[in-house]
Amino acid sequence: MSAGPLDQPVKCRAELSDEELLKSCKPHHRHAVALALQDLHGVRKESIIRLSPSYEDFICSKLLCDARDLSILYVFAEVTLWLCFSITMQVIYLPKTFYSSRVAAGLILHFIGTWIGFGERFILAMHYASHRSLFSARLGIAAKVLNNFPQLVLSNFFGMPCGAYHLHHCIMHHQANNFFPYDLSATTPYQRDSPLGFLHYLTNFMLHTILYLPFYAAKKRRFAVALGSVCCTLVYLTVCQTLFSAHPVVFFVSLGLSSAMGPALLMFGNFGQHMFIDKAKPDSNYSLTINLIAAPFNMTTFNDGYHIVHHLNSVLHWSEMPLHFIRNLDR
């Protein structure tokens, strides 16, 4: 079988070969460059399923903005199929009362599939798709629907209410840039080497986020975004109440547990990424976060370890981050 787009080497506008990059860098940078090259050319492991190369070529040329994001589409498709299967099985087999061994079995299986199988992959796929549109504008209104589907539908099953992620991450976090009090997820006011400091951080985030996000958007005079946030939250709460009334066990397994677990994991990740901050330059992208190069999770999270690079340029394609890191090591 011929190779598909995911089998092709990453193309990142490099003027120099790997050998030339290693030779031209400063001696004390050589090890870091070698590690970053592993991320640049490593075998990607974000997606599980694959289509035939002819189908992949069609999808990349006709549907996607960037062929390098085919693995993001695969992740969204896998998560959609899994959630449809899991929730259907829950509705069919789980009782409406909690006193049953089937409830425990259903909860464990859903947890394994959703969080262990797809949690990290989905959150990072949605993260990069929120910065760069996945589907091409050539698709018209269908592109808008498909580009918003992960954040409006799938995100709810990972503890992120519909419509909240883009406002929180792209509009608030990246614009306020981990600067308190404007960024609610800023880590600067907290004792970052203390478990109690993290609990304080997490509690503040979980209690205030839903109310603060539309307020933040309105304060920035983005009134349409603020209104959209309020409407999405009302829809989310209405759906949760309706599902709980119809089948409380399915609600708890599919949405209830994730509504507590999702924010906790997201904030744990953000707390870790913004734990080491230079007090003298807390507003500098080079000193408010970290890069983790050649970390195994980079192959399953679209190079999420390159967080300094991401804050420097939030729309830089994830596949180009290692090369950007190499080119800017002196900074």
Side-chain angles (χ1 to χ4, degrees):
M1 184 170 67
S2 59
L6 290 183
D7 301 308
Q8 303 300 324
V10 176
K11 298 178 181 179
C12 294
R13 298 193 296 276
E15 293 85 4
L16 302 176
S17 67
D18 293 357
E19 293 76 13
E20 290 170 328
L21 286 171
L22 286 166
K23 289 180 180 179
S24 62
C25 71
K26 295 179 179 179
H28 60 282
H29 287 165
R30 194 157 295 142
H31 183 57
V33 170
L35 292 175
L37 287 172
Q38 293 180 28
D39 290 327
L40 185 66
H41 300 302
V43 178
R44 307 310 309 182
K45 300 177 182 178
E46 286 88 359
S47 59
I48 301 171
I49 63 173
R50 292 288 303 272
L51 298 176
S52 67
S54 59
Y55 284 115
E56 289 187 346
D57 289 336
F58 173 81
I59 291 171
C60 291
S61 62
K62 302 296 183 181
L63 303 182
L64 301 184
C65 289
D66 192 323
R68 296 173 296 179
D69 289 329
L70 178 61
S71 55
I72 292 181
L73 176 59
Y74 275 145
V75 170
F76 291 155
E78 292 163 7
V79 169
T80 301
L81 291 172
W82 161 249
L83 289 174
C84 288
F85 170 78
S86 178
I87 294 171
T88 299
M89 293 299 100
Q90 292 173 42
V91 171
I92 293 173
Y93 291 109
L94 295 186
K96 293 186 178 182
T97 58
F98 288 91
Y99 303 104
S100 170
S101 59
R102 284 185 290 171
V103 175
L107 179 61
I108 292 171
L109 291 174
H110 184 77
F111 174 84
I112 292 173
T114 303
W115 285 104
I116 297 179
F118 292 113
E120 189 178 52
R121 290 172 169 85
F122 170 76
I123 291 171
L124 273 303
M126 185 180 69
H127 167 237
Y128 288 112
S130 70
H131 284 287
R132 296 169 57 100
S133 295
L134 179 61
F135 290 94
S136 172
R138 294 190 300 268
L139 300 178
I141 189 65
K144 293 184 178 180
V145 172
L146 293 170
N147 282 327
N148 284 287
F149 179 74
Q151 296 182 52
L152 294 181
V153 179
L154 298 180
S155 65
N156 298 285
F157 299 96
F158 292 86
M160 294 169 279
C162 60
Y165 186 81
H166 185 268
L167 173 53
H168 170 263
H169 183 76
C170 296
I171 297 178
M172 183 183 72
H173 178 62
H174 273 279
Q175 292 186 13
N177 213 28
N178 199 55
F179 192 80
F180 186 82
Y182 307 106
D183 182 359
L184 188 63
S185 56
T187 59
T188 46
Y190 300 93
Q191 186 68 30
R192 294 182 299 279
D193 60 353
S194 167
L196 290 178
F198 172 70
L199 289 176
H200 182 196
Y201 172 76
L202 176 61
T203 302
N204 181 61
F205 177 82
M206 295 188 74
L207 289 178
H208 300 145
T209 302
I210 293 298
L211 297 175
Y212 182 77
L213 286 177
F215 168 77
Y216 178 86
K219 190 174 182 179
K220 293 294 183 179
R221 306 190 66 81
R222 302 187 68 164
F223 300 113
V225 175
L227 179 61
S229 175
V230 172
C231 291
C232 284
T233 300
L234 292 175
V235 170
Y236 173 76
L237 294 175
T238 301
V239 170
C240 286
Q241 175 61 39
T242 302
L243 180 57
F244 179 80
S245 299
H247 204 308
V249 171
V250 171
F251 164 78
F252 178 76
V253 172
S254 61
L255 288 173
L257 181 63
S258 291
S259 67
M261 187 171 178
L265 291 176
L266 285 168
M267 289 303 99
F268 181 79
N270 193 72
F271 198 76
Q273 288 175 325
H274 296 279
M275 179 178 289
F276 302 103
I277 299 174
D278 185 348
K279 292 182 179 180
K281 298 180 289 183
D283 57 345
S284 169
N285 286 316
Y286 292 100
S287 57
L288 59 80
T289 184
I290 56 176
N291 282 326
L292 298 173
I293 59 176
F297 68 80
N298 280 339
M299 293 298 103
T300 59
T301 61
F302 306 95
N303 290 328
D304 186 51
Y306 291 82
H307 209 59
I308 292 176
V309 176
H310 180 59
H311 269 265
L312 288 167
N313 183 355
S314 62
V315 297
L316 180 69
H317 195 270
W318 58 267
S319 67
E320 298 181 17
M321 289 181 178
L323 187 58
H324 185 282
F325 170 81
I326 294 171
R327 288 171 171 169
N328 294 277
L329 264 174
D330 280 331
R331 299 184 182 181

